[in-house]
Amino acid sequence: MADLPLRDSAAIEVSEMEGREDMALVRPKPLQAFAALYGGAIALLITGLQPLVLGQLEQEGRLTASEIGLTAMAELLMVGIGAAVAGWIFKPRYLRMIGGAAGMVHALASVAAMAASGLEIVISRAIAGLAAGILLWIAMGMIARTSQPERWSGSFLTGETLFQLIVVTTLSTLVVPRFGANGALAGMAVLSAMAALFSSLNLDNYPLLVPQHAIPGSRLPMEPLIALLGVFVFLAAMSATWVYLDQLGAQLNLPATVVGTAMSVFLAFQVAGGASATWLGSRPPLLPVLGGASLLGILGFFILAYAPSPGAFLAGAAIFGFVWLFALPYQLLLLVKVDDSRRAALQLPAAQLLGSAGGPLLASFLVGDVDARPAVFLGMAGLGVTFFLFAWSQRRAA
């Protein structure tokens, strides 16, 4: 009996998923869902803040250009590692205490960075990334245990993107011009401390993700591992192109204002993509949706690489942003379909973040000082490989 999860009877239901054996799922109350998802949004906030915060730290002489890349990669890698390790070493119990501790470590790491420079900032942001990974594990743990994980995932990604946009706009217009990088770090610390406070509202325990026919502690079968590899390749393809968007615009002789507008268009269509996936849910067939997203993404990349006009470049950025957030909830749904224990779904953040860190690293070996198109070609190839891996994983699971 010691291995049975502690349960909140008001928050857990038993549902039969597509004819498979019964599994305990969660039905969080609004405040419980908000607490978990807010922590996940804080964990991913840095993905939108890195250019602002790290760029300001460089302007203040506290980071060199090379240390910017090191800091960004270290934090993203540690978020992915933190989410993966949390899934391996923690059982889904005492989540309020774990989330509170992770939120406070995340906040203190930002405070420590306020008095740091150089390698000290790299270390502090790596520690923040590890704590963020735990917060993300808690959020994804709730999403993966719901009866409609693709809808929850779409809602979370859409809300998280809007949250990033609000925070970036506030810090860039009101805080950083007056208080510099430390103002942004202080703001991040406050938001992280709020995540620690809100964790007291979260479910304290989730049911264990082990269906009746599975052996507790057993390794994942090949099918979900292939699907997770597809997630990794997808995010590597997307991030490899994203980090060179400015260079692509310059290569096409586009004004800086057009590239800046393209980034705003990209974010706006990310929100549209996430909202569309949330609205559609699981109604459309899974593989055609993922295949269509890959083809549409390849088209968007091609337009970005050879845009004949500013309008075409903006159209490519719109397609790029839409596909990125539209596809992610369906990738989660695929993981649930090929692994009914949902343990693979808990590793989704790790695969996504490691792919986000690995894509730019691989692209850096391919691009030149005057030609950024190899990053786009890498992205196009990656989208093709992604769909092949997704189709293979579902065929093996059939």
Side-chain angles (χ1 to χ4, degrees):
M1 295 294 290
D3 287 333
L4 292 176
L6 303 176
R7 298 188 176 190
D8 181 340
S9 60
I12 297 176
E13 63 178 350
V14 175
S15 175
E16 187 169 317
M17 297 292 293
E18 300 183 355
R20 292 174 177 170
E21 298 184 43
D22 286 349
M23 167 184 282
L25 302 175
V26 298
R27 182 184 292 166
K29 297 175 182 178
L31 282 178
Q32 293 169 335
F34 169 79
L37 297 183
Y38 178 81
I42 291 298
L44 295 176
L45 180 61
I46 193 61
T47 59
L49 284 179
Q50 276 184 341
L52 173 67
V53 177
L54 299 183
Q56 184 64 31
L57 286 168
E58 183 192 23
Q59 290 182 29
E60 295 174 9
R62 296 166 60 184
L63 282 179
T64 65
S66 61
E67 287 170 342
I68 286 179
L70 181 60
T71 304
M73 187 173 68
E75 184 160 7
L76 285 177
L77 281 173
M78 291 307 291
V79 176
I81 291 171
V85 171
W88 295 333
I89 67 174
F90 293 142
K91 290 186 177 180
R93 301 178 180 176
Y94 313 112
L95 297 176
R96 294 169 187 162
M97 179 183 68
I98 294 172
M104 286 309 302
V105 170
H106 198 264
L108 291 173
S110 293
V111 172
M114 294 172 65
S117 61
L119 187 58
E120 296 170 342
I121 291 178
V122 177
I123 294 172
S124 68
R125 295 319 304 170
I127 293 172
L130 188 62
I134 296 173
L135 291 172
L136 190 58
W137 167 72
I138 293 173
M140 288 303 302
M142 188 202 74
I143 291 173
R145 290 169 170 86
T146 60
S147 59
Q148 293 183 306
E150 73 287 347
R151 288 189 181 273
W152 279 96
S153 177
S155 298
F156 169 62
L157 292 169
T158 304
E160 181 262 332
T161 303
L162 285 171
F163 179 60
Q164 280 189 19
L165 190 57
I166 292 169
V167 174
V168 169
T169 302
T170 302
L171 292 181
S172 63
T173 58
L174 301 177
V175 177
V176 172
R178 183 174 180 182
F179 301 104
N182 279 357
L185 290 167
M188 292 165 60
V190 170
L191 293 172
S192 301
M194 290 171 61
L197 178 64
F198 291 153
S199 68
S200 63
L201 304 174
N202 191 22
L203 288 168
D204 200 29
N205 305 282
Y206 297 151
L208 294 177
L209 291 179
V210 181
Q212 294 176 12
H213 63 273
I215 301 173
S218 61
R219 294 182 177 180
L220 287 174
M222 182 62 67
E223 293 78 13
L225 292 176
I226 295 171
L228 283 170
L229 179 59
V231 172
F232 173 90
V233 175
F234 177 85
L235 267 296
M238 290 299 193
S239 59
T241 303
W242 168 247
V243 297
Y244 287 100
L245 192 64
D246 186 71
Q247 287 86 339
L248 282 170
Q251 186 174 339
L252 294 168
N253 297 315
L254 297 174
T257 53
V258 172
V259 179
T261 302
M263 292 183 180
S264 298
V265 168
F266 171 87
L267 289 172
F269 274 82
Q270 273 200 324
V271 173
S276 297
T278 303
W279 178 71
L280 288 171
S282 59
R283 286 176 290 186
L286 184 56
L287 276 182
V289 166
L290 290 172
S294 291
L295 288 174
L296 188 60
I298 291 172
L299 173 63
F301 284 169
F302 183 83
I303 294 173
L304 286 174
Y306 296 102
S309 67
F313 192 79
L314 295 179
I319 295 172
F320 183 17
F322 182 90
V323 168
W324 192 325
L325 235 62
F326 178 79
L328 294 184
Y330 292 103
Q331 294 174 9
L332 173 61
L333 184 59
L334 175 68
L335 287 171
V336 171
K337 286 183 176 293
V338 300
D339 174 36
D340 62 351
S341 77
R342 303 198 181 196
R343 291 175 296 163
L346 292 182
Q347 299 306 319
L348 180 67
Q352 290 174 337
L353 288 156
L354 292 175
S356 296
L361 179 63
L362 180 58
S364 68
F365 294 108
L366 302 176
V367 300
D369 292 336
V370 296
D371 188 9
R373 286 193 179 115
V376 184
F377 300 150
L378 177 65
M380 295 168 72
L383 289 180
V385 171
T386 292
F387 178 67
F388 170 77
L389 291 170
F390 287 156
W392 188 19
S393 68
Q394 186 165 19
R395 182 178 179 182
R396 283 180 58 99

